[in-house]
Every structure is written in C-alpha cells, then in structure tokens.
Amino acid sequence: MKTERTENFRSKQITEGVQRSPNRAMLRAVGFGDDDFRKPIVAVANGYSTITPCNIGLEKLAKRAEGALRNAGAMPQLFGTITVSDGISMGTEGMKYSLVSREVIADSIETVCQAQCVDGLLAIGGCDKNMPGAMLAIARLNIPAIFVYGGTIKPGHWNGKDLTVVSSFEAVGQFSAGKMSEDELFNIERHACPGAGSCGGMFTANTMSSAIEALGMSLPYSSTMSAEDAEKEESTSQSAIVLAHAIRNQIFPKQILTRQAFENAIAVVMAIGGSTNAVLHLLAIAHTANVPLSLDDFEEIRKRVPVLCDLKPSGNFVTTELHAAGGIPQVMKILLEHGLLHGDELTITGKTVAENLASVPSSPRTNQQVIRSWERPLYQQGHLAIMRGNLAPEGAIAKITGVKNLTISGPARVFESEETCLEAILSKKIKAGDVIVIRYEGPKGGPGMREMLAPTSAIIGAGLGNSVGLITDGRFSGGTYGMVVGHVSPEAAVGGTIALVEENDSITIDAEQQLVTLHVSESELSLRLTKWNPPAPRYTRGVLAKYASLVSSSSLGAVTDLNLHQLQS
C-alpha cells in the first residue's frame, strides 16, 4: 500500500501534527513507529471466545489478518467484541440475550471505530449474531470494510449418519416419545459437534455468511469454508489485502449496500434454502444503510427464485458439501445466467458481481447432488413465505417447502412461554391436528425474541412434524423446519391478535394461500381486546429492559434505533 495519506483518512485526527503529540505517545506504546503515523489505521474486530465452537477459531484468523494488513502497509489494531452461543442458551432464559447481542456487537464495533477514528474495518465473526451485528456496524460507520466468516463446523458422524447440532435437539424429542434409547441419545450428543466452526447445516450462521457474500461484503467462496481448513486462514489474509485496496481506492460500504445488492442477497437466501432469520437481519441491515426494504420484497423475489440446494435442516447435505460442490459463487452464477441477479453491482473486491463470477461455470457439476441445475430445482419457488391474515396483519414468516401438509386446521393450544410449551410436548399433551400458539416471546414481550428450536425439534422428534402447526411471535432457529410460522407481527406484548387467542379457538395455517387465520369474529376480537391488559415488563433494569423499551417490530427488522427521534420528542 502507498504510504502517502489521503484527505479521506480519518485517523489523521489522532495522529497528525504537533498538537496530537499526546495521542501519538499512547500509540507508540502499542507499537507505532515514526513512519506508522502516515499509514491508515485498520480495526480488526473479532468475536473470539471459548464460549462457543463457532468462535473458538477466530483468534488465529485475527492474528493472520493483522500480519497481512501490516504487510499491506496498514496499521492493524485488534479488539474483541462479545458473542453468545445460541445453541448453548437455546431453551433457556439466556436465549433472550441472543438477538440483543446483535445490537451489542454493532454498538461496540461502532463505538471503538468512531472513538479511535480508524480508516478501515475488518470484522471477523462466527456465531449467528456476529454477522448481522458486524454488518450493522459496517453500515453505520461507512468506512472501507470487509467481513470475514469464521467458518462452518464439519459434520459429526454416528451410526452411518451425518450429524449437526439440530440432530441432538431432535434426538431429545425422539427419546421423550419412546423412539430412541438413552444410549443412542447420548451417542448423538457426543458426536454431533466434532470441533470448531458454526452449526453445519444451512442454519442462521451459514445463511448469513452466504448473504453477506452475495451482498458483496466478503470474498467469493469465503462463506462456506470449514473453520478448520487451511483455506480459511488463506482467505482471511486475502481479505486483509482486499481491504487495504479498498482503503486506498476509497470503496465504501454504502457504495456496495444498494437496493440491488439486497435483492441479490435475498435471491441467494431463497436459492440455498436459508434461515428465516435472514429476513429479520437483512431488513435491519437495509434500514441501517438507508435502503428501502420490506417484507413484500422478500415475497416478490421468492416467487421468482427456485430452491437449488438440497441442504439441512430439511434437506440432505451440510455446508461443507455445498462448498465442495462450488459454494455460493456457483449458486450465484446460475441465478445470474437466468436474470435473477444484478451482475453490475460493485463488491468489496473492486469488481462487479459478474466480474467475480466470470470464471464460474454456468451449470453445476454433474458429479454432485448438493446444487441442482436450473432445469431440476428442489422447488420451483423460494421457501421463505410471508404470511398474512388476521393473526399476522403486519406479516409473519414460514418455511413452506418440504411440508407434506400445506394446510393445517385445528384447535389452538395456547402457551405464554417456550418452557410451558416444551413441557407439554415432552409430556405428550400435544396431539396430531393441534395448532400450538407460543406468545409473549416477541422482541418486546420476551424480550429478545427467543428461537423456538427446542419445541419444534421436540415436535419433529415425536413424529408430529407433519400434523402439528406452531405459531409464535418469537423466532425460529435456522435448524427449524415443519409447519411453523414465526415473527408474527404485531406481537402479543403490544396487543397483536396473537394475544387474544384462547384455548381451543380454531386456527388455520394455509401455506398455499399464505394465510394464518384465527376463526373468531371481528366483534368478538374487539371485545377481547377491551379486556386485554399489557403484561407488566418482565425486566425493569439492565440490558433487556433497555432493549424492550427501544426495539421495533420484527416486521421492521427488530432494530433499536428506528424511533429514537420520536422518543426524544
């Protein structure tokens, strides 16, 4: 990298001139020499921790990035940010902090980068909220930036089957239903997660890494690499070099994060069969980047984009196998060839999407089964449907592919929390034909919008996946599948219709018509609403109380800065 400074470098505010001598003195203490004050300062934000296998390998990637940035003529400055493990906290009170951590990560990266006037940002993340959290910060800061994914875990193996963390959750349901021995249950638990990396199916982490690659904010192929393979470290070094180029050429995130880029990301999420959480996170990132995006945009793109990848949780393969089959560039090339991507969009490499994909074959290899050809997709349309109806007038989200019964009607089984619902499932109190309602688990009501992986996995494990529906104002893990509808909005805590459902009310989930209907008259619902009182806040101090007071509807991405000007006025 050239050492001469440009007028766009922000770090000159703390490194330039005699008046900055105290600032420079402190920088000398962390390794700056005389010549280094003429170099751009680059933050290396990483979520390394031993809390979760997703992030346990990030320290070595941060060190690799640090060395590559120095060699490229930059001054890297490392700092850590938090992470929590969704898989470990799943089904507990701790899961309420998961979505909250997205905001904490974004706030912490923004705070450090702004306070230290850095010129660029290389963010490294592994677990689910690291990625959208980093992207929110990148969009707020709008300094040259690149995202580095920590990598996916390799599949576990037991009894001739590939395992993921979801295998363990489903095994609990099978054991409780008397369909699995205790010995088999514990052997699945022992073998499901063999090492470092994020959950191995097309769950939320791998979905978001793929979406960020499609947005153009990370390197081609980087989103599906294994955390434990050498190519992940090499890709990190290359990411640092690309970022140095972006700083030199002043390539900014908001040049990349356009409306067309978000459409590309949505198309890829549909084609790979990605997590419902992608809707929430992409809405939030678009809001932060001042890009108009709504639930209706997801639905419009869904109708045009087929599902091309046969991936877990509802499919057969894991993300390492997607990588071996050609990864996200192969999926993107198929979409580009059929007019479903904007090929002229700029990426962090300095090249357009089409230029990045120039050497990728137009059709997938025939010696693999993970990526389908255009002529024989897994499904003709995308899997993430936006549901409406009197139970979700602002919208809800469902995975509708792979569901055998596209319509379920039955009596409502109403639960005020995830725990009470799970207890009922494991106690065999849920029967075929029931429609479970789990409420007061939304962004405000939870607070924190917990994922309902434990109940949905228990339903699957009990053999009820095709005969029981589930509706919630909470979220679902990327590992969830079946006739389930989440992100119901307005949520129960603000008086949404879901708060008015009574035990044994008739409910219909219609995936074909994309409707969730409570068969109760409007007059009766109006009467119930007059008798409804908002519940007392579950938390009155601390981070969850602050979050509940600020967070928006899930239909808007559950962002925490949407209405600050209204609150202040």
Side-chain angles (χ1 to χ4, degrees), residues 73-319:
M75 282 303 292
Q77 300 288 281
L78 276 66
F79 69 91
T81 185
I82 67 151
T83 191
V84 298
S85 171
D86 291 3
I88 294 171
S89 63
M90 194 73 69
T92 73
E93 192 80 357
M95 187 62 191
K96 292 182 178 181
Y97 289 85
S98 170
L99 188 58
V100 176
S101 76
R102 183 188 77 178
E103 310 307 307
V104 177
I105 291 165
D107 292 349
S108 67
I109 295 174
E110 177 193 359
T111 298
V112 174
C113 290
Q114 291 286 47
Q116 305 311 128
C117 300
V118 301
D119 301 302
L121 167 63
L122 187 147
I124 311 174
C127 206
D128 292 7
K129 306 310 173 296
N130 298 174
M131 283 160 277
M135 285 303 301
L136 290 175
I138 285 169
R140 291 178 195 172
L141 291 163
N142 198 34
I143 58 176
I146 194 167
F147 181 77
V148 173
Y149 181 40
T152 185
I153 198 172
K154 293 181 178 179
H157 302 284
W158 172 253
N159 205 18
K161 295 181 179 180
D162 284 346
L163 302 176
T164 69
V165 66
V166 175
S167 306
S168 187
F169 280 93
E170 292 178 0
V172 172
Q174 291 175 287
F175 172 73
S176 299
K179 299 182 178 183
M180 178 179 289
S181 69
E182 186 175 15
D183 182 65
E184 180 76 1
L185 168 66
F186 283 112
N187 272 309
I188 289 174
E189 177 252 300
R190 291 185 185 106
H191 294 88
C193 298
S198 301
C199 299
M202 192 46 67
F203 311 147
T204 301
N206 287 321
T207 298
M208 288 311 300
S209 68
S210 300
I212 293 169
E213 182 177 326
L215 281 169
M217 290 301 304
S218 61
L219 295 190
Y221 298 101
S222 66
S223 66
T224 53
M225 292 176 177
S226 167
E228 297 183 329
D229 287 348
E231 66 175 346
K232 174 47 65 177
E233 291 188 54
E234 291 298 324
S235 176
T236 301
S237 292
Q238 187 60 37
S239 296
I241 294 169
V242 166
L243 176 58
H245 176 272
I247 295 170
R248 182 170 62 239
N249 291 279
Q250 295 292 276
I251 300 174
F252 296 103
K254 287 187 179 178
Q255 295 172 264
I256 298 169
L257 297 174
T258 64
R259 164 68 187 219
Q260 290 73 26
F262 281 95
E263 291 179 359
N264 286 349
I266 296 169
V268 167
V269 168
M270 295 295 176
I272 62 178
S275 166
T276 53
N277 284 310
V279 180
L280 190 77
H281 297 322
L282 288 173
L283 285 171
I285 298 165
H287 160 75
T288 305
N290 295 317
V291 172
L293 195 70
S294 72
L295 289 176
D296 291 335
D297 296 315
F298 286 82
E299 181 59 29
E300 192 276 327
I301 293 171
R302 182 192 74 81
K303 292 176 180 177
R304 297 188 281 111
V305 178
V307 178
L308 297 174
C309 298
D310 184 8
L311 295 165
K312 291 180 182 294
S314 58
N316 293 301
F317 299 100
V318 293
T319 304

Side-chain angles (χ1 to χ4, degrees), residues 17 27 45 81 87 112 137 165 176 183 243 255 270 293 335 355 359 373 382 386 429 452 458 512 520 535:
L27 289 170
T81 185
V112 174
V165 66
S176 299
D183 182 65
L243 176 58
Q255 295 172 264
M270 295 295 176
L293 195 70
L335 297 177
E355 288 170 338
S359 63
S373 67
I386 305 304
K429 296 177 181 178
M452 304 291 115
E512 287 188 295
V520 174

Side-chain angles (χ1 to χ4, degrees), residues 330-345:
Q330 182 62 83
V331 176
M332 292 179 70
K333 186 59 174 279
I334 298 170
L335 297 177
L336 181 66
E337 288 290 300
H338 292 86
L340 294 173
L341 282 191
H342 302 283
D344 56 354
E345 287 303 296

Side-chain angles (χ1 to χ4, degrees), residues 391-523:
L391 257 176
E394 289 181 8
I397 304 169
K399 283 184 181 178
I400 63 172
T401 52
V403 178
K404 291 185 179 179
N405 298 321
L406 292 175
T407 302
I408 289 182
S409 288
R413 303 298 310 279
V414 182
F415 301 94
E416 310 299 315
S417 70
E418 175 187 7
E419 289 87 350
T420 54
C421 175
L422 180 61
E423 181 182 356
I425 297 168
L426 297 179
S427 300
K428 302 180 182 180
K429 296 177 181 178
I430 300 299
K431 308 298 182 185
D434 286 345
V435 178
I436 294 170
V437 175
I438 306 176
R439 62 191 180 192
Y440 297 105
E441 291 285 7
K444 285 185 178 294
M449 206 179 180
R450 286 193 290 184
E451 294 179 348
M452 304 291 115
L453 180 59
T456 58
S457 296
I459 290 169
I460 296 292
L464 297 171
N466 293 313
S467 58
V468 167
L470 189 151
I471 298 171
T472 181
D473 51 9
R475 295 182 295 133
F476 294 120
S477 161
T480 293
Y481 60 100
M483 183 58 90
V484 295
V485 180
H487 303 214
V488 168
S489 185
E491 62 175 291
V494 298
T497 309
I498 190 171
L500 309 179
V501 181
E502 296 181 356
E503 189 79 4
N504 291 317
D505 281 347
S506 176
I507 294 177
T508 297
I509 304 173
D510 187 333
E512 287 188 295
Q513 298 296 318
Q514 296 171 228
L515 290 172
V516 278
T517 305
L518 175 64
H519 298 290
V520 174
S521 69
E522 287 299 316
S523 59

